Amino acid sequence: MTALGGLAASFLVLAFTRFGVAFGEAGAIPAGHAIIARKIRPERRGLAIGLFALGIPLGTMVGFAAGGALSDTVGWRTALVGAGALGGVIALIAFVAVGPTPPLQRMAASAEPFMRTSMRLLSAPGFRWLFIGAIASGFAAAPFYAFAAPFLIRTHGFTASEAGLAFGLPQGLLGIVGTLLGGRWFDRVVRSGTGRVLGPPAILFIIAAVTTTAGLFAPVGWLSILLFLPSMLSFAFLLPWGFGAAHLVAGQGREAMASSLVLIGSGLLGPALGPLIVGLISDAGSAAHMPNSLGLGLLTVPVASILSGLAILMANHRIAALLRQR
């Protein structure tokens, strides 16, 4: 689907190929988490999820840097076709190298119907607040990654190559740090027995909201990127905490279902509506001849980050109470 995007002759075909990419990716994370849950003990699972999640910042870093350079030199169509071909090679390697999935001991929980399991998880206050936090984080992350490079290009005069490198490189490096540090920290909190398994990422989201707001109105590009760093870190840092906490609430045999619901929260409404809202605000600002109209649209990112941080704080309190009762 990525390669077909490079052959698109209309906006509708290009949009269809992007839907296809999302459809193809959707099952990978829950399935991966299910395998991790079968092989890794809960007190070490945060680091395992963090290592697994390294694919996101690494892929984003390479995609921004290489994609920007290829777009400037050979065009965006060739860049998409090349990325799709590379994905096909990686898929073949994974098919051969990964081997069979570890067997799962049949449990009553894993045999429950989809809707019953979903409602059971969402009826738990801690998981429900985590789900709300995931929705808000999707509204923050999707526009941030979709429009950060165009913001640097339109507002600060970067080329595509410069924006890809200036944004993609620190995003990838902080993503690596965030997933690994978040995983180790989460494991330490789980072993401590306090049950407060979501406090640090919630606080980081609130800090990121403040710095990102300042970055959208910074006078020079390098200062904008510097002020965007906490947001780059927060999205990666949350991954092992969010999924690890969801697994603790769900219990053994429901880890993949818990991951699926968290992904639905972060990946359905936010990526579908967040960039659209930013685009509408930006276009309206441009039509009214307002300066930095894209920056105005991107204010949805810090607003959503604050809401996500507050929801995750609520989840932290409720999950701690639940774990103490067990």
Side-chain angles (χ1 to χ4, degrees):
M1 284 295 179
T2 300
L4 287 175
L7 306 177
S10 69
F11 172 79
L12 287 178
V13 174
L14 181 61
F16 174 78
T17 62
R18 302 314 297 164
F19 282 122
V21 171
F23 184 81
E25 291 177 349
I29 293 179
H33 287 179
I35 295 173
I36 291 171
R38 298 178 200 183
K39 298 173 72 69
I40 307 296
R41 300 191 306 274
E43 61 270 19
R44 294 179 56 85
R45 198 170 295 162
L47 180 58
I49 293 174
L51 288 168
F52 179 75
L54 278 179
I56 297 174
L58 285 173
T60 305
M61 178 173 63
V62 174
F64 269 107
L70 288 173
S71 179
D72 279 346
T73 55
V74 298
W76 63 271
R77 292 183 181 275
T78 303
L80 284 177
V81 172
L86 180 61
V89 173
I90 294 173
L92 289 175
I93 294 172
F95 181 79
V96 173
V98 170
T101 301
L104 173 67
Q105 182 179 356
R106 295 296 298 175
M107 302 172 63
S110 64
E112 282 186 338
F114 167 79
M115 287 304 299
R116 185 182 302 172
T117 304
S118 300
M119 291 301 101
R120 186 191 298 274
L121 287 172
L122 291 172
S123 66
F127 193 93
R128 188 164 59 246
W129 278 110
L130 178 58
F131 184 74
I132 294 170
I135 294 174
S137 72
F139 272 96
F144 181 73
Y145 289 124
F147 286 105
F151 169 79
L152 294 173
I153 293 169
R154 286 175 50 178
T155 304
H156 295 295
F158 283 44
T159 67
S161 297
E162 291 169 344
L165 184 62
F167 181 80
L169 182 60
Q171 188 279 327
L173 295 176
L174 284 173
I176 294 170
V177 172
T179 52
L180 294 179
L181 177 63
R184 289 293 300 272
W185 197 341
F186 175 81
D187 288 341
R188 189 175 303 163
V189 171
V190 170
R191 289 193 292 268
S192 72
T194 63
R196 296 189 175 275
V197 292
L198 286 172
I203 294 171
L204 182 57
F205 260 82
I206 295 172
I207 294 172
V210 176
T211 61
T212 300
T213 302
L216 293 173
F217 299 97
V220 291
W222 66 264
L223 184 57
S224 288
I225 295 170
L226 182 65
L227 291 167
F228 288 163
L229 295 182
S231 280
M232 298 179 192
L233 180 65
S234 66
F235 297 130
F237 188 71
L238 177 62
L239 292 172
W241 294 84
F243 288 120
H247 293 179
L248 289 176
V249 176
Q252 190 177 15
R254 299 190 185 96
E255 293 92 350
M257 191 67 220
S259 292
S260 297
L261 288 175
V262 172
L263 284 170
I264 288 172
S266 63
L268 183 61
L269 294 177
L273 298 178
L276 177 62
I277 294 171
V278 173
L280 290 173
I281 295 173
S282 176
D283 287 349
S286 296
H289 305 289
M290 298 176 65
N292 195 19
S293 61
L294 184 53
L296 293 175
L298 280 169
L299 283 174
T300 59
V301 173
V303 171
S305 292
I306 289 178
L307 295 176
S308 181
L310 294 175
I312 294 170
L313 280 176
M314 290 296 298
N316 181 53
H317 175 71
R318 297 300 181 92
I319 291 173
L322 173 65
L323 295 179
R324 283 195 297 266
Q325 293 173 2
R326 289 183 175 177

